[in-house]
Amino acid sequence: MVAMRAALVAILFFFLIPAQVAAEDDALYMAQLVGRGFFRALQDGEVEAMVPLCSDAVNFDGELVKGRPKVKARLAAMVKRARRNNLRLKKVLILRYREAIKVLGPCPERLKKVVKPGHMVALAAFQRGGAVAVLARFGDFWRVIALTD
């Protein structure tokens, strides 16, 4: 009986749920991994883990930084500040672009050129304050393209 139910659920899943829904869920899941991994690495002071999660060009509070070495240097400075402030991550929430606009309102001026439909927004809550990472898709991968607080 249990096997029959499992088979029925599998049939319903594969034939009645559109492939687009499954693809959107996969995209959200992958963006969640990147967003959570990025902010966890920030808290843990792991710059080397943060760099591959970023694009080659990252907008830091309205300033576009290009090139891995320069991005890495800015991330190292972020980690240093996080360590100095004893930053502790409480929660990370990932929202699709449209959800983020509904919840947060319009983008701040410094990010308007960066944030576009199709992007994801990672909201990190720390014991004091928070941060936002904008994620964009690059092929099968999601990367951080902008950071602000």
Side-chain angles (χ1 to χ4, degrees), residues 58-136:
V58 178
N59 182 308
F60 289 87
D61 280 322
E63 180 187 342
L64 186 62
V65 176
K66 294 182 179 180
R68 290 279 179 175
K70 290 180 181 178
V71 169
K72 184 177 179 179
R74 287 296 290 267
L75 293 174
M78 284 178 62
V79 165
K80 188 175 181 179
R81 278 193 314 275
R83 288 282 189 199
R84 188 175 50 241
N85 295 329
N86 197 24
L87 201 63
R88 291 289 162 241
L89 186 63
K90 292 173 67 175
K91 184 177 183 176
V92 177
L93 177 64
I94 310 297
L95 299 172
R96 290 180 173 87
Y97 170 82
R98 292 179 198 278
E99 295 168 330
I101 297 300
K102 284 180 189 173
V103 172
L104 304 171
C107 292
E109 278 300 316
R110 63 187 177 273
L111 295 180
K112 278 190 177 181
K113 293 180 183 177
V114 180
V115 182
K116 302 202 179 337
H119 289 165
M120 301 272 189
V121 178
L123 307 171
F126 298 100
Q127 86 278 12
R128 289 184 315 269
V132 177
V134 179
L135 310 174

Side-chain angles (χ1 to χ4, degrees), residues 1-8:
M1 188 64 143
V2 172
M4 202 151 113
R5 273 192 206 155
L8 182 58

Side-chain angles (χ1 to χ4, degrees), residues 44-62:
D44 295 343
E46 298 176 4
V47 176
E48 296 299 328
M50 295 167 72
V51 173
L53 299 175
C54 293
S55 167
D56 289 337
V58 178
N59 182 308
F60 289 87
D61 280 322

Side-chain angles (χ1 to χ4, degrees), residues 27-47:
L28 180 60
Y29 177 73
M30 294 305 291
Q32 287 172 341
L33 290 175
V34 171
R36 289 188 175 119
F38 180 85
F39 286 118
R40 175 69 63 186
L42 173 62
Q43 172 189 272
D44 295 343
E46 298 176 4
V47 176

